[in-house]
Amino acid sequence: DAKTTQPNSMESNEEEPVHLPCNHSTISGTDYIHWYRQLPSQGPEYVIHGLTSNVNNRMASLAIAEDRKSSTLILHRATLRDAAVYYCIRTSLYGGSQGNLIFGKGTKLSVKP
Amino acid sequence: DSGVTQTPKHLITATGQRVTLRCSPRSGDLSVYWYQQSLDQGLQFLIQYYNGEERAKGNILERFSAQQFPDLHSELNLSSLELGDSALYFCASSEVGTSGRDTQYFGPGTRLTVL
């Protein structure tokens, strides 16, 4: 049970921003939100993670709703290289079996030139 | 390049056979994770080792086993192979691995084909 809900697919144009949504309505106060992506024929790649407040790194931004029941991964300017399956994953702060990455089906992002 | 290495890249074998997949974590990482990715099941967590000890278990079959050695590299052993075991097997590592806060770094995978 991935415990998150994402759209199956999204399309974007190159050099435009992309907002990838994720619902996690049953999230607990100590659950992190992670985003990984998997490019074709490669292993998953870490993108970003957060707990309560918005986060930025060189790859993307993560906006977490105030009630934490949803979040949005923001790619500021999509490139062709960003075409991948994006996974939104909850993990428990306390680790164990709930601290591991449980992958759902993710969102397949297509980027058009 | 994540710094995680996996060998071999490809493996073709027959049903009933046994194979060993090898993973070297990033330098300094104490935890190793194994995942299986097949077309029908998606990416599934199999097992985690932390500093040589099994830490968490996922959907790992009894025919599969893993271990982590003192130098922290890990091996995944798959025995009595069936056609349905054909999949991509990924290894990942993390610095610690005792918290859901940890970031995992994935290797390029081993593609196993069982004929």
Side-chain angles (χ1 to χ4, degrees):
Chain A
D1 179 12
K3 300 182 187 174
T4 62
T5 305
Q6 300 177 251
N8 288 334
S9 62
M10 289 185 65
E11 267 192 4
S12 170
N13 294 316
E14 199 176 10
E15 299 193 4
E16 289 186 359
V18 182
H19 291 232
L20 295 162
C22 179
N23 284 321
H24 28 80
S25 58
T26 61
I27 196 167
S28 79
T30 52
D31 282 353
Y32 280 83
I33 299 297
H34 293 256
W35 285 82
Y36 283 76
R37 71 181 186 181
Q38 188 172 21
L39 280 64
S41 303
Q42 294 189 27
E45 174 187 33
Y46 168 76
V47 178
I48 200 166
H49 76 283
L51 183 62
T52 54
S53 43
N54 296 343
V55 184
N56 299 297
N57 66 21
R58 63 173 182 80
M59 286 182 73
S61 295
L62 175 60
I64 301 174
E66 205 168 320
D67 64 6
R68 301 188 68 241
K69 292 185 177 181
S70 65
S71 60
T72 302
L73 177 71
I74 303 165
L75 306 178
H76 296 285
R77 287 182 69 213
T79 68
L80 297 179
R81 197 199 171 273
D82 291 322
V85 178
Y86 286 79
Y87 297 98
C88 169
I89 303 168
R90 284 167 49 181
T91 62
S92 169
L93 168 67
Y94 302 113
S97 61
Q98 299 302 313
N100 283 294
L101 301 179
I102 308 299
F103 288 83
K105 295 189 186 305
T107 296
K108 183 172 183 177
L109 175 67
S110 303
V111 180
K112 295 185 288 185
Chain B
D1 182 0
S2 67
V4 178
T5 60
Q6 291 187 245
T7 56
K9 197 166 183 172
H10 301 278
L11 199 48
I12 301 175
T13 188
T15 54
Q17 295 298 305
R18 173 189 167 96
V19 297
T20 297
L21 313 184
R22 183 187 168 102
C23 168
S24 292
R26 293 186 325 154
S27 177
D29 283 0
L30 295 177
S31 273
V32 169
Y33 310 77
W34 286 97
Y35 293 83
Q36 178 192 56
Q37 186 171 33
S38 59
L39 281 174
D40 54 344
Q41 298 285 341
L43 255 167
Q44 288 201 90
F45 166 68
L46 296 179
I47 196 163
Q48 176 199 358
Y49 276 80
Y50 168 67
N51 207 19
E53 301 287 329
E54 182 183 306
R55 173 134 185 114
K57 225 169 184 174
N59 298 324
I60 188 165
L61 299 172
E62 283 193 18
R63 301 183 285 109
F64 296 0
S65 65
Q67 53 184 327
Q68 187 180 27
F69 295 87
D71 67 352
L72 301 176
H73 91 271
S74 177
E75 292 181 355
L76 179 67
N77 299 297
L78 315 176
S79 61
S80 303
L81 285 168
E82 303 175 358
L83 295 177
D85 298 327
S86 295
L88 268 168
Y89 290 84
F90 290 106
C91 167
S93 72
S94 67
E95 195 171 346
V96 183
T98 56
S99 164
R101 180 175 50 223
D102 299 322
T103 295
Q104 294 184 26
Y105 298 90
F106 284 77
T110 292
R111 181 174 293 281
L112 173 67
T113 303
V114 182
L115 301 174

